[in-house]
Amino acid sequence: MKIIDLRSDTVTHPTEAMRRAMFEAEVGDDVFGEDPTVNRLEVMAAQKMGKEAALFTASGTMSNLIAVLTHTNHGNEIILGNGAHIFLNEVGGVAALGGVVTCIIPNDTNGQLSLDSIEKAIRGKNIHYPVTTLLCLENTHNRCGGAVLTPEYTSSAAQLAHQHGLKFHLDGARIFNASIALGVPVTELTKDVDSVSFCLSKGLSAPIGSLLCGNKEFIERARKRRKMLGGGMRQAGVIAAAGIVAMETMIDRLAEDHTNARRLADGLVRIPDIRLGQEKVMTNILMFDLARTFSSIQFLNKLTASGVKILSLGGNSFRAVTHRMVNAGDIDFALNKIEAACRELK
Ligand code: TLP
């Protein structure tokens, strides 16, 4: 049976070119700093982000955790949006392993935190208070439907953080989607942040991996924390090789995923039982709600049985993500099945 998997862009498989590069990768022991392929990937990543250095990690979650561990001390406070992946979807690692307090403020629908609310959340000098040391933002913003933070907003947030002595980490798991959607070089989105992580294993289709980028001193300390977390990999060139191909060949095509997400949105708004959960579809993530006339579980099951997979966000909310393994025809197929599921469940 034909399966259209819209649960996430993480479901993408490595391309033929990636598999070949993995097979042929030159390797060494990366804990000794001797894997030439990993070294090449790290140099490429740092250059792309406009930073001095980069660190190859197993996942976006690991990159974010290492960033927080490196920027903070136990008992510090960090500022996050209530929709932040670090807050919602990373198993509380920053609290469990980093011992930090999380100060959560509301994300607006554009994935932003208002500058005013950030400023109010920064603790003053008072013996009772934890010290605020880090601001974390996300671009694109997953829970805000792939919303994009602009260079102007990012610079203002950075200026505010720095004025108060905070560091600024950007969870840029899908930063290339933001750069493509805005038509600006990725460095415009990263130039003012102290660290940025991005993923190879989402829309870029590599099987594994993420990179944490920052200045040399930061990355040196981050490397030690990666080792502490058990993330010192040996002949990791085998996976880094796919990452190099991903960065060389998979960035520009993300525009297609954005077009397909808009095609999906245009079709969904024509289905009476469905309400889009966002005003604009900027990138490859789309949220939608079901009218409460029938059960969300039945809807999901019916859809899965007809070959279309989407992600439940709880209640009557769902997420669909476009990627390299679905084309415009697959979107139309999915729309037909969604429309049929709504009709048959009434
Ligand atoms: N997001 C996954 C799930 O965890 C929800 C997805 O399918 O979207 N930052 C952001 C903004 C992310 O969306 C994700 C993954 C991560 C970090 C973590 O990356 P991994 O999965 O590599 O640990």
Side-chain angles (χ1 to χ4, degrees):
M1 188 173 79
K2 177 169 171 162
I3 305 283
I4 309 300
D5 195 343
L6 297 168
R7 287 172 303 169
S8 182
D9 46 10
T10 59
V11 303
T12 46
H13 294 182
T15 62
E16 276 307 305
M18 288 179 197
R19 289 178 189 271
R20 230 181 357 262
M22 292 171 81
F23 182 72
E24 289 166 1
E26 218 189 311
V27 295
D29 189 330
D30 182 50
V31 175
F32 289 117
E34 290 171 6
D35 188 301
T37 311
V38 172
N39 293 343
R40 193 147 70 87
L41 174 69
E42 290 181 343
V43 168
M44 267 178 87
Q47 275 169 358
K48 275 256 188 260
M49 295 294 134
K51 300 293 172 199
E52 285 175 7
L55 179 72
F56 186 38
T57 73
S59 66
T61 301
M62 186 185 264
S63 275
N64 284 334
L65 177 58
I66 293 172
V68 174
L69 291 179
T70 309
H71 283 304
T72 62
N73 290 312
H74 267 228
N76 286 171
E77 188 164 58
I78 68 172
I79 298 175
L80 294 164
N82 63 350
H85 195 274
I86 295 177
F87 172 57
L88 293 177
N89 287 332
E90 299 186 6
V91 209
V94 296
L97 305 174
V100 296
V101 183
T102 46
C103 175
I104 304 302
I105 56 182
N107 275 114
D108 69 16
T109 52
N110 298 318
Q112 298 184 358
L113 303 178
S114 81
L115 297 182
D116 188 46
S117 66
I118 296 174
E119 191 153 32
K120 284 197 178 111
I122 299 171
R123 305 277 195 153
K125 279 196 177 36
N126 180 311
I127 194 163
H128 301 88
Y129 293 165
V131 183
T132 315
T133 47
L134 182 66
L135 169 68
C136 299
L137 295 179
E138 193 173 308
N139 198 8
T140 66
H141 200 290
N142 185 342
R143 200 58 193 230
C144 295
V148 165
L149 302 182
T150 61
E152 295 74 26
Y153 171 77
T154 311
S155 296
S156 310
Q159 201 183 0
L160 177 64
H162 293 151
Q163 245 170 35
H164 290 271
L166 273 64
K167 299 289 185 198
F168 179 179
H169 171 67
L170 185 64
D171 175 355
R174 297 183 179 84
I175 191 85
F176 293 111
N177 293 84
S179 141
I180 295 280
L182 288 163
V184 299
V186 78
T187 47
E188 283 298 300
L189 301 168
T190 58
K191 65 182 181 347
D192 297 315
V193 307
D194 298 288
S195 58
V196 54
S197 53
F198 72 90
C199 291
L200 298 168
S201 58
K202 301 198 162 56
L204 301 189
S205 300
I208 301 169
S210 166
L211 285 124
L212 176 63
C213 309
N215 70 26
K216 274 197 188 129
E217 180 271 334
F218 170 82
I219 293 299
E220 206 174 293
R221 290 190 293 117
R223 198 173 288 282
K224 185 118 180 149
R225 280 158 183 78
R226 183 187 69 175
K227 189 77 183 91
M228 184 173 69
L229 295 173
M233 298 180 279
R234 302 295 178 173
Q235 284 72 36
V238 170
I239 49 177
I244 291 172
V245 176
M247 287 182 59
E248 282 173 346
T249 64
M250 303 302 282
I251 295 172
D252 292 340
R253 64 148 308 286
L254 293 172
E256 263 173 64
D257 301 342
H258 301 175
T259 306
N260 283 333
R262 281 194 295 272
R263 185 182 187 94
L264 183 60
D266 290 345
L268 286 176
V269 293
R270 286 198 280 272
I271 303 175
D273 296 305
I274 286 186
R275 214 171 350 100
L276 277 199
Q278 60 202 78
E279 277 169 34
K280 287 176 284 188
V281 177
M282 291 288 287
T283 57
N284 67 331
I285 301 181
L286 183 69
M287 309 290 193
F288 65 91
D289 297 326
L290 215 52
R292 282 197 184 273
T293 44
F294 45 89
S295 144
S296 297
I297 295 165
Q298 277 179 310
F299 173 71
L300 199 64
N301 290 344
K302 203 161 196 48
L303 218 51
T304 308
S306 67
V308 177
K309 294 186 179 180
I310 57 172
L311 202 69
S312 165
L313 297 176
N316 61 340
S317 300
F318 298 89
R319 185 186 81 164
V321 184
T322 54
H323 52 77
R324 185 180 64 83
M325 292 171 76
V326 292
N327 59 29
D330 297 330
I331 296 295
D332 295 343
F333 176 89
L335 279 167
N336 275 332
K337 298 295 178 192
I338 293 170
E339 204 265 328
C342 289
R343 199 171 356 97
E344 286 161 25
L345 282 168
K346 273 220 157 150

